[in-house]
Amino acid sequence: MKKITFRADDNLIEEARLVARSRQTTLNAAFREWLETYVRPAGDVHEFDLLIKRLRHVRPGRHFTRAEMNEQ
């Protein structure tokens, strides 16, 4: 894993550490997670296309009424 250095306001870094701690993680782990989503934004299009192709055989079935969906 490669080390990199960023500059940010001291107060912002401290706030970020508190948020990370409240989520039971580290600032480094939170940054790595953010970097992953930055590189591959909200759902990889290729993965979505593969899923659609795999589910191409699925056809809509019976439609349930609101009452049927709310039954317990």
Side-chain angles (χ1 to χ4, degrees):
M1 200 174 286
K2 188 172 189 160
K3 287 186 177 186
I4 57 176
T5 302
F6 288 97
R7 293 178 188 262
D9 181 82
D10 290 343
N11 294 327
L12 188 60
I13 292 171
E14 286 308 311
E15 286 182 53
R17 282 190 174 130
L18 291 173
V19 171
R21 190 175 304 132
S22 74
R23 295 178 181 173
Q24 298 178 344
T25 188
T26 65
L27 191 52
N28 278 329
F31 176 76
R32 285 191 300 269
E33 184 179 320
W34 171 83
L35 190 58
E36 185 73 30
T37 61
Y38 184 76
V39 172
R40 294 178 191 88
D44 185 82
V45 173
H46 179 68
E47 287 182 31
F48 178 76
D49 288 341
L50 290 175
L51 176 63
I52 294 300
K53 285 178 185 176
R54 282 195 353 245
L55 297 176
R56 188 173 288 154
H57 67 282
V58 176
R59 298 286 175 236
R62 176 176 174 232
H63 292 277
F64 293 92
T65 65
R66 181 177 296 275
E68 289 173 320
M69 289 190 285
N70 289 327
E71 284 180 8
Q72 293 192 15

